[in-house]
Amino acid sequence: MKFRVERDDFTDAVAWTARTLPTRATSQLQVLAGLMLDATGPALKIAAFDYEVAAQCGVDATITEEGRALVSGKLLAEITRALPSAPVDLQTDGTRVVLTCGNARFTLPTMSVDDYPTLPPMPAVTGHIEGAAFAGAVSQVAIAAGKDDTLPVLTGVRIEIDGETLTLAATDRYRLAVRKLKWRPTAEMVEGVAMVPARTLSDTAKSLSGSGVEVAIALGSGPSGEALAGFAGGGRQTTTRLVDGSFPPYQRLLPDSSPLTAQIEISPFAEAVKRVALVAARTAPVQLGFSADHLVLEAGVGGEAQAQETLPIGYEGPDLSIAFNPAYLLDGLGALESDVVHIGFASADDADEAAKKPAILTGKAPDDGEVPDYRYLLMPIRLSG
Protein backbone atom coordinates (compact mmCIF):
# COMPACT_ATOMS: atom_id res chain seq x y z
CA MET A 1 0.00 0.00 0.00
CA LYS A 2 1.21 3.47 -0.88
CA PHE A 3 -0.65 6.78 -1.09
CA ARG A 4 -0.35 10.55 -0.64
CA VAL A 5 -3.03 12.61 1.10
CA GLU A 6 -3.49 16.21 2.23
CA ARG A 7 -2.47 16.66 5.85
CA ASP A 8 -5.64 18.45 7.09
CA ASP A 9 -8.02 16.06 5.33
CA PHE A 10 -6.16 13.06 6.71
CA THR A 11 -6.00 14.47 10.24
CA ASP A 12 -9.73 15.26 10.30
CA ALA A 13 -10.67 11.83 8.96
CA VAL A 14 -8.45 9.98 11.44
CA ALA A 15 -9.71 12.07 14.38
CA TRP A 16 -13.36 11.56 13.43
CA THR A 17 -13.02 7.82 12.92
CA ALA A 18 -10.90 7.31 16.05
CA ARG A 19 -13.81 8.47 18.24
CA THR A 20 -15.40 5.07 17.67
CA LEU A 21 -12.40 3.16 19.02
CA PRO A 22 -13.20 1.24 22.21
CA THR A 23 -11.72 2.74 25.36
CA ARG A 24 -10.45 -0.70 26.30
CA ALA A 25 -9.56 -3.53 23.98
CA THR A 26 -9.11 -6.99 25.46
CA SER A 27 -6.13 -9.08 24.49
CA GLN A 28 -8.42 -11.23 22.33
CA LEU A 29 -9.82 -8.17 20.55
CA GLN A 30 -6.70 -6.03 20.36
CA VAL A 31 -7.35 -5.47 16.66
CA LEU A 32 -10.37 -3.33 17.59
CA ALA A 33 -7.93 -0.70 18.87
CA GLY A 34 -6.74 -0.29 15.31
CA LEU A 35 -7.84 1.92 12.46
CA MET A 36 -8.23 0.21 9.11
CA LEU A 37 -6.59 2.10 6.24
CA ASP A 38 -8.15 0.80 3.04
CA ALA A 39 -6.54 2.05 -0.18
CA THR A 40 -8.14 -0.48 -2.51
CA GLY A 41 -10.56 1.91 -4.21
CA PRO A 42 -10.55 5.30 -5.89
CA ALA A 43 -10.41 6.99 -2.47
CA LEU A 44 -8.79 6.17 0.86
CA LYS A 45 -11.20 4.77 3.45
CA ILE A 46 -10.48 4.92 7.19
CA ALA A 47 -12.61 2.71 9.42
CA ALA A 48 -13.14 1.79 13.07
CA PHE A 49 -15.44 -0.85 14.57
CA ASP A 50 -16.15 -2.07 18.10
CA TYR A 51 -18.99 -4.53 17.25
CA GLU A 52 -21.54 -1.92 18.37
CA VAL A 53 -20.67 1.12 16.25
CA ALA A 54 -18.86 1.21 12.91
CA ALA A 55 -17.46 4.46 11.49
CA GLN A 56 -16.02 4.94 8.03
CA CYS A 57 -14.66 8.08 6.40
CA GLY A 58 -13.56 8.61 2.81
CA VAL A 59 -10.61 10.85 1.94
CA ASP A 60 -9.36 11.95 -1.47
CA ALA A 61 -5.88 10.48 -1.95
CA THR A 62 -3.41 9.71 -4.70
CA ILE A 63 -3.04 5.95 -4.47
CA THR A 64 -0.02 4.48 -6.25
CA GLU A 65 -0.15 1.00 -4.68
CA GLU A 66 -3.44 -0.48 -3.51
CA GLY A 67 -3.62 -2.31 -0.21
CA ARG A 68 -4.85 -2.29 3.37
CA ALA A 69 -3.16 -1.80 6.74
CA LEU A 70 -4.31 -1.87 10.37
CA VAL A 71 -2.47 0.42 12.79
CA SER A 72 -3.01 1.67 16.34
CA GLY A 73 -5.82 4.21 16.10
CA LYS A 74 -4.91 6.18 19.20
CA LEU A 75 -1.27 6.50 18.15
CA LEU A 76 -2.15 7.47 14.58
CA ALA A 77 -4.56 10.14 15.83
CA GLU A 78 -1.91 11.62 18.12
CA ILE A 79 0.67 11.62 15.32
CA THR A 80 -1.59 13.22 12.70
CA ARG A 81 -2.54 16.05 15.08
CA ALA A 82 1.14 16.91 15.48
CA LEU A 83 2.17 16.74 11.83
CA PRO A 84 3.60 19.81 10.07
CA SER A 85 1.67 21.51 7.28
CA ALA A 86 2.70 19.35 4.33
CA PRO A 87 1.31 16.44 2.27
CA VAL A 88 1.34 13.06 4.02
CA ASP A 89 2.95 10.05 2.35
CA LEU A 90 2.15 6.64 3.80
CA GLN A 91 3.33 3.21 2.64
CA THR A 92 3.75 -0.27 4.01
CA ASP A 93 7.19 -1.79 4.56
CA GLY A 94 6.79 -5.41 5.51
CA THR A 95 4.95 -5.53 8.83
CA ARG A 96 5.29 -1.79 9.41
CA VAL A 97 3.79 1.41 8.05
CA VAL A 98 6.02 4.36 7.26
CA LEU A 99 4.42 7.82 7.47
CA THR A 100 6.31 10.82 6.13
CA CYS A 101 5.21 14.45 6.34
CA GLY A 102 7.72 17.20 5.55
CA ASN A 103 10.83 16.40 7.58
CA ALA A 104 8.92 14.18 10.03
CA ARG A 105 9.00 10.41 9.64
CA PHE A 106 7.18 7.79 11.73
CA THR A 107 7.31 4.02 11.60
CA LEU A 108 4.34 2.17 13.09
CA PRO A 109 3.84 -1.57 13.59
CA THR A 110 0.79 -3.10 11.91
CA MET A 111 -1.76 -5.58 13.18
CA SER A 112 -3.27 -8.50 11.28
CA VAL A 113 -5.74 -7.28 8.69
CA ASP A 114 -7.21 -10.79 8.44
CA ASP A 115 -8.19 -10.73 12.12
CA TYR A 116 -10.18 -7.50 11.74
CA PRO A 117 -13.98 -8.02 11.66
CA THR A 118 -16.00 -7.10 8.59
CA LEU A 119 -17.89 -3.84 9.00
CA PRO A 120 -21.69 -4.14 8.69
CA PRO A 121 -23.00 -2.63 5.46
CA MET A 122 -25.20 0.45 5.53
CA PRO A 123 -28.90 -0.55 5.45
CA ALA A 124 -31.07 0.70 2.61
CA VAL A 125 -31.62 4.46 2.95
CA THR A 126 -34.97 5.37 4.53
CA GLY A 127 -34.81 9.11 3.89
CA HIS A 128 -32.78 12.33 3.90
CA ILE A 129 -32.60 15.45 6.05
CA GLU A 130 -30.49 18.61 6.13
CA GLY A 131 -27.51 18.00 8.41
CA ALA A 132 -27.66 21.18 10.52
CA ALA A 133 -31.39 20.75 11.19
CA PHE A 134 -30.88 17.12 12.21
CA ALA A 135 -27.96 17.96 14.52
CA GLY A 136 -29.96 20.74 16.18
CA ALA A 137 -32.94 18.47 16.80
CA VAL A 138 -30.76 15.68 18.19
CA SER A 139 -29.00 18.06 20.59
CA GLN A 140 -32.37 19.30 21.87
CA VAL A 141 -33.54 15.78 22.66
CA ALA A 142 -30.39 13.89 23.70
CA ILE A 143 -29.99 16.05 26.83
CA ALA A 144 -32.93 14.18 28.36
CA ALA A 145 -31.54 10.69 27.70
CA GLY A 146 -30.52 8.63 30.72
CA LYS A 147 -26.95 7.75 31.58
CA ASP A 148 -27.67 4.71 33.75
CA ASP A 149 -26.52 1.63 31.84
CA THR A 150 -28.66 -0.59 34.08
CA LEU A 151 -31.66 0.91 32.26
CA PRO A 152 -30.36 0.72 28.68
CA VAL A 153 -33.66 1.63 26.99
CA LEU A 154 -33.51 5.06 28.65
CA THR A 155 -30.00 5.71 27.29
CA GLY A 156 -31.35 5.90 23.75
CA VAL A 157 -33.14 8.40 21.56
CA ARG A 158 -36.33 7.08 20.01
CA ILE A 159 -36.62 7.90 16.32
CA GLU A 160 -40.14 7.64 14.95
CA ILE A 161 -40.81 7.87 11.22
CA ASP A 162 -44.30 8.66 9.98
CA GLY A 163 -44.24 9.71 6.35
CA GLU A 164 -42.65 13.15 6.09
CA THR A 165 -42.52 13.62 9.89
CA LEU A 166 -39.54 12.59 11.99
CA THR A 167 -40.04 12.56 15.77
CA LEU A 168 -37.18 12.30 18.27
CA ALA A 169 -37.83 11.55 21.95
CA ALA A 170 -35.71 10.80 25.02
CA THR A 171 -36.33 10.54 28.75
CA ASP A 172 -34.48 9.65 31.94
CA ARG A 173 -37.74 9.51 33.98
CA TYR A 174 -37.15 13.00 35.40
CA ARG A 175 -37.56 14.92 32.14
CA LEU A 176 -38.74 14.21 28.63
CA ALA A 177 -37.72 15.97 25.42
CA VAL A 178 -39.65 15.59 22.16
CA ARG A 179 -38.87 17.22 18.81
CA LYS A 180 -40.78 16.91 15.54
CA LEU A 181 -39.31 17.96 12.21
CA LYS A 182 -39.82 17.42 8.50
CA TRP A 183 -37.61 15.21 6.36
CA ARG A 184 -37.68 13.57 2.91
CA PRO A 185 -38.47 9.85 3.06
CA THR A 186 -37.61 7.57 0.16
CA ALA A 187 -41.14 6.13 0.21
CA GLU A 188 -44.33 8.16 0.62
CA MET A 189 -45.92 6.05 3.37
CA VAL A 190 -42.77 4.92 5.16
CA GLU A 191 -43.05 4.16 8.89
CA GLY A 192 -40.54 2.95 11.44
CA VAL A 193 -39.22 3.16 14.98
CA ALA A 194 -35.63 2.84 16.20
CA MET A 195 -33.91 3.29 19.56
CA VAL A 196 -30.45 4.69 18.85
CA PRO A 197 -27.83 5.09 21.60
CA ALA A 198 -27.98 8.78 22.55
CA ARG A 199 -24.24 9.32 22.76
CA THR A 200 -23.60 7.74 19.35
CA LEU A 201 -26.44 9.69 17.77
CA SER A 202 -25.26 12.98 19.27
CA ASP A 203 -21.66 12.52 18.12
CA THR A 204 -22.74 11.39 14.68
CA ALA A 205 -25.28 14.16 14.10
CA LYS A 206 -22.83 16.82 15.25
CA SER A 207 -20.15 15.52 12.87
CA LEU A 208 -22.61 15.66 9.96
CA SER A 209 -23.82 19.20 10.67
CA GLY A 210 -21.52 20.96 8.20
CA SER A 211 -22.84 23.57 5.81
CA GLY A 212 -24.71 21.99 2.91
CA VAL A 213 -24.34 18.42 4.21
CA GLU A 214 -27.35 16.20 3.56
CA VAL A 215 -27.74 13.26 5.93
CA ALA A 216 -29.04 9.90 4.76
CA ILE A 217 -30.79 7.95 7.52
CA ALA A 218 -31.13 4.19 7.13
CA LEU A 219 -33.02 1.77 9.34
CA GLY A 220 -32.63 -1.93 8.72
CA SER A 221 -30.77 -5.04 9.79
CA GLY A 222 -27.22 -6.31 9.63
CA PRO A 223 -25.86 -9.53 8.12
CA SER A 224 -26.66 -11.45 11.33
CA GLY A 225 -30.17 -10.05 11.60
CA GLU A 226 -29.28 -7.45 14.22
CA ALA A 227 -31.27 -4.20 14.09
CA LEU A 228 -29.15 -1.33 12.77
CA ALA A 229 -29.38 2.37 12.10
CA GLY A 230 -27.08 4.09 9.65
CA PHE A 231 -26.23 7.75 9.08
CA ALA A 232 -24.17 9.04 6.18
CA GLY A 233 -23.18 12.38 4.71
CA GLY A 234 -20.18 14.38 3.60
CA GLY A 235 -18.11 11.25 2.97
CA ARG A 236 -18.72 9.96 6.50
CA GLN A 237 -20.79 6.95 7.48
CA THR A 238 -21.78 5.48 10.85
CA THR A 239 -23.79 2.35 11.60
CA THR A 240 -24.86 1.37 15.09
CA ARG A 241 -26.74 -1.43 16.79
CA LEU A 242 -30.06 -0.33 18.23
CA VAL A 243 -30.96 -0.35 21.91
CA ASP A 244 -33.20 -3.23 22.98
CA GLY A 245 -36.29 -2.69 25.08
CA SER A 246 -39.64 -0.93 25.08
CA PHE A 247 -39.57 2.85 25.34
CA PRO A 248 -42.10 4.28 27.84
CA PRO A 249 -45.44 5.42 26.32
CA TYR A 250 -44.41 9.04 26.59
CA GLN A 251 -47.26 10.51 24.54
CA ARG A 252 -49.66 10.19 27.45
CA LEU A 253 -47.39 12.40 29.58
CA LEU A 254 -47.74 15.30 27.16
CA PRO A 255 -50.93 17.29 27.80
CA ASP A 256 -53.10 18.48 24.95
CA SER A 257 -53.02 21.98 26.44
CA SER A 258 -51.54 24.00 29.30
CA PRO A 259 -54.31 26.15 30.78
CA LEU A 260 -51.84 28.12 32.89
CA THR A 261 -48.70 29.56 31.28
CA ALA A 262 -45.86 31.86 32.35
CA GLN A 263 -43.66 33.73 29.87
CA ILE A 264 -40.09 34.57 30.91
CA GLU A 265 -37.07 35.91 29.04
CA ILE A 266 -34.63 33.01 28.89
CA SER A 267 -31.31 34.83 29.28
CA PRO A 268 -32.03 36.62 32.62
CA PHE A 269 -33.98 33.59 33.84
CA ALA A 270 -31.08 31.19 33.19
CA GLU A 271 -28.58 33.54 34.81
CA ALA A 272 -30.80 33.89 37.88
CA VAL A 273 -31.16 30.11 38.18
CA LYS A 274 -27.37 29.72 38.05
CA ARG A 275 -26.84 32.37 40.75
CA VAL A 276 -29.51 31.08 43.12
CA ALA A 277 -28.36 27.47 42.67
CA LEU A 278 -24.89 28.37 43.98
CA VAL A 279 -26.14 27.93 47.57
CA ALA A 280 -28.02 24.70 46.84
CA ALA A 281 -26.53 21.31 47.60
CA ARG A 282 -25.78 19.10 44.61
CA THR A 283 -29.19 17.43 44.53
CA ALA A 284 -31.17 20.29 46.10
CA PRO A 285 -33.85 22.02 44.02
CA VAL A 286 -34.46 25.65 43.18
CA GLN A 287 -37.93 26.81 44.18
CA LEU A 288 -39.89 29.03 41.82
CA GLY A 289 -42.70 31.18 43.19
CA PHE A 290 -45.03 32.49 40.47
CA SER A 291 -47.18 35.50 41.26
CA ALA A 292 -48.87 38.13 39.11
CA ASP A 293 -46.17 39.70 36.92
CA HIS A 294 -43.16 38.43 38.88
CA LEU A 295 -41.20 35.29 39.76
CA VAL A 296 -39.25 34.66 42.96
CA LEU A 297 -36.39 32.14 42.81
CA GLU A 298 -35.15 30.68 46.10
CA ALA A 299 -32.64 28.06 47.23
CA GLY A 300 -31.09 27.02 50.55
CA VAL A 301 -32.86 26.00 53.73
CA GLY A 302 -32.53 26.27 57.50
CA GLY A 303 -29.18 27.43 58.79
CA GLU A 304 -27.49 26.88 55.44
CA ALA A 305 -26.65 29.58 52.90
CA GLN A 306 -29.72 30.95 51.17
CA ALA A 307 -30.37 32.93 47.99
CA GLN A 308 -33.33 34.76 46.49
CA GLU A 309 -33.90 36.70 43.27
CA THR A 310 -36.96 38.29 41.67
CA LEU A 311 -37.67 38.58 37.93
CA PRO A 312 -40.47 40.24 35.97
CA ILE A 313 -42.58 37.76 34.00
CA GLY A 314 -45.80 37.48 32.09
CA TYR A 315 -48.15 35.51 34.31
CA GLU A 316 -51.82 35.73 35.21
CA GLY A 317 -53.00 33.09 37.60
CA PRO A 318 -53.02 31.93 41.21
CA ASP A 319 -49.83 32.09 43.26
CA LEU A 320 -47.92 28.90 42.48
CA SER A 321 -44.82 27.44 44.10
CA ILE A 322 -42.92 24.66 42.32
CA ALA A 323 -39.37 23.28 42.64
CA PHE A 324 -37.06 21.86 39.97
CA ASN A 325 -33.62 20.35 39.67
CA PRO A 326 -31.66 23.43 38.51
CA ALA A 327 -29.39 21.47 36.13
CA TYR A 328 -32.38 19.90 34.38
CA LEU A 329 -34.12 23.28 34.20
CA LEU A 330 -31.06 24.91 32.65
CA ASP A 331 -30.75 22.06 30.12
CA GLY A 332 -34.28 22.75 28.97
CA LEU A 333 -33.80 26.51 28.77
CA GLY A 334 -30.59 26.06 26.77
CA ALA A 335 -32.30 23.77 24.26
CA LEU A 336 -35.02 26.24 23.32
CA GLU A 337 -34.52 28.10 20.07
CA SER A 338 -36.18 31.24 21.40
CA ASP A 339 -35.59 34.34 23.53
CA VAL A 340 -38.63 33.56 25.68
CA VAL A 341 -39.68 30.38 27.46
CA HIS A 342 -43.32 29.48 27.95
CA ILE A 343 -43.78 27.31 31.04
CA GLY A 344 -47.12 25.53 30.97
CA PHE A 345 -48.86 24.05 33.99
CA ALA A 346 -51.58 21.42 34.03
CA SER A 347 -54.17 23.27 36.11
CA ALA A 348 -55.32 26.89 36.04
CA ASP A 349 -57.50 26.66 39.15
CA ASP A 350 -55.63 24.52 41.66
CA ALA A 351 -52.06 25.80 42.20
CA ASP A 352 -51.21 22.97 44.60
CA GLU A 353 -52.29 20.41 42.04
CA ALA A 354 -50.35 22.17 39.26
CA ALA A 355 -47.18 22.13 41.38
CA LYS A 356 -47.35 18.34 41.62
CA LYS A 357 -47.56 17.71 37.88
CA PRO A 358 -44.90 18.08 35.18
CA ALA A 359 -44.33 21.46 33.62
CA ILE A 360 -43.93 21.87 29.87
CA LEU A 361 -41.24 24.21 28.52
CA THR A 362 -41.65 25.46 24.96
CA GLY A 363 -40.12 28.21 22.88
CA LYS A 364 -43.49 29.55 21.84
CA ALA A 365 -47.06 29.31 23.04
CA PRO A 366 -49.37 26.93 21.14
CA ASP A 367 -51.07 28.84 18.34
CA ASP A 368 -54.71 27.91 17.69
CA GLY A 369 -54.16 24.47 19.17
CA GLU A 370 -50.98 23.82 17.16
CA VAL A 371 -48.43 21.81 19.14
CA PRO A 372 -44.91 23.37 19.25
CA ASP A 373 -42.21 21.44 17.40
CA TYR A 374 -40.15 21.12 20.59
CA ARG A 375 -41.43 20.32 24.08
CA TYR A 376 -39.39 19.73 27.22
CA LEU A 377 -41.31 18.15 30.08
CA LEU A 378 -39.81 18.55 33.54
CA MET A 379 -40.89 16.72 36.67
CA PRO A 380 -41.16 18.86 39.82
CA ILE A 381 -39.40 18.00 43.07
CA ARG A 382 -41.63 17.75 46.11
CA LEU A 383 -40.24 19.69 49.03
CA SER A 384 -40.35 18.12 52.48
CA GLY A 385 -42.59 19.94 54.91
Side-chain angles (χ1 to χ4, degrees):
M1 181 183 70
K2 184 177 182 179
F3 62 83
R4 168 169 281 200
V5 64
E6 290 298 319
R7 184 260 187 200
D8 290 346
D9 294 343
F10 190 51
T11 299
D12 290 344
V14 168
W16 180 81
T17 312
R19 298 173 315 149
T20 305
L21 294 170
T23 53
R24 295 180 182 177
T26 64
S27 57
Q28 293 84 1
L29 299 176
Q30 195 64 41
V31 291
L32 298 184
L35 285 183
M36 176 66 73
L37 306 178
D38 186 339
T40 58
L44 171 68
K45 292 181 180 179
I46 305 173
F49 186 34
D50 66 356
Y51 284 112
E52 295 292 330
V53 180
Q56 184 172 279
C57 186
V59 185
D60 289 333
T62 302
I63 300 172
T64 53
E65 291 183 20
E66 293 191 350
R68 297 194 302 163
L70 185 66
V71 299
S72 168
K74 181 179 178 181
L75 181 57
L76 184 62
E78 291 175 347
I79 288 173
T80 54
R81 282 196 300 267
L83 291 176
S85 181
V88 177
D89 290 295
L90 193 146
Q91 66 181 55
T92 53
D93 182 9
T95 59
R96 307 180 77 80
V97 160
V98 178
L99 186 155
T100 305
C101 180
N103 294 325
R105 185 176 186 272
F106 296 87
T107 304
L108 288 69
T110 61
M111 292 177 273
S112 173
V113 170
D114 295 335
D115 292 339
Y116 198 73
T118 302
L119 273 66
M122 179 93 163
V125 174
T126 312
H128 297 85
I129 190 170
E130 197 269 325
F134 183 56
V138 170
S139 67
Q140 287 181 304
V141 171
I143 55 173
K147 297 177 175 60
D148 185 357
D149 291 334
T150 62
L151 296 170
V153 71
L154 299 185
T155 65
V157 171
R158 177 182 171 93
I159 298 179
E160 301 175 20
I161 297 171
D162 183 8
E164 295 181 350
T165 302
L166 197 68
T167 302
L168 309 178
T171 182
D172 60 3
R173 296 181 300 172
Y174 305 106
R175 62 256 182 88
L176 164 71
V178 180
R179 173 67 197 274
K180 290 180 179 286
L181 67 166
K182 294 296 183 181
W183 80 319
R184 299 183 307 282
T186 54
E188 188 174 337
M189 302 300 293
V190 66
E191 294 183 350
V193 175
M195 281 293 299
V196 182
R199 181 176 177 183
T200 300
L201 183 62
S202 296
D203 289 346
T204 300
K206 185 176 180 181
S207 72
L208 299 177
S209 63
S211 176
V213 174
E214 183 176 76
V215 177
I217 300 177
L219 305 181
S221 57
S224 302
E226 69 276 24
L228 293 179
F231 307 90
R236 297 174 175 180
Q237 175 182 304
T238 297
T239 58
T240 178
R241 285 179 180 261
L242 302 184
V243 179
D244 292 327
S246 299
F247 195 71
Y250 69 90
Q251 292 91 343
R252 67 186 186 188
L253 297 175
L254 297 168
D256 295 329
S257 63
S258 298
L260 187 60
T261 304
Q263 299 87 38
I264 315 169
E265 286 189 46
I266 290 178
S267 180
F269 184 28
E271 292 302 318
V273 171
K274 293 175 185 177
R275 282 190 291 268
V276 172
L278 291 173
V279 302
R282 183 179 179 186
T283 58
V286 167
Q287 188 167 351
L288 308 181
F290 293 87
S291 300
D293 300 326
H294 71 274
L295 167 67
V296 178
L297 299 87
E298 296 180 281
V301 294
E304 301 174 356
Q306 299 179 11
Q308 183 183 92
E309 188 164 342
T310 303
L311 293 175
I313 63 171
Y315 177 76
E316 295 180 2
D319 289 356
L320 186 154
S321 182
I322 191 168
F324 295 117
N325 178 309
Y328 294 169
L329 176 58
L330 289 169
D331 281 346
L333 295 176
L336 296 173
E337 297 173 336
S338 171
D339 295 329
V340 176
V341 58
H342 296 259
I343 304 179
F345 303 99
S347 175
D349 302 318
D350 190 337
D352 290 337
E353 187 66 21
K356 296 177 184 177
K357 294 184 178 180
I360 303 288
L361 279 64
T362 61
K364 63 178 181 179
D367 184 16
D368 296 329
E370 182 181 352
V371 176
D373 291 335
Y374 179 66
R375 289 178 287 175
Y376 184 86
L377 180 148
L378 185 57
M379 298 293 293
I381 296 177
R382 297 191 181 187
L383 300 175
S384 59

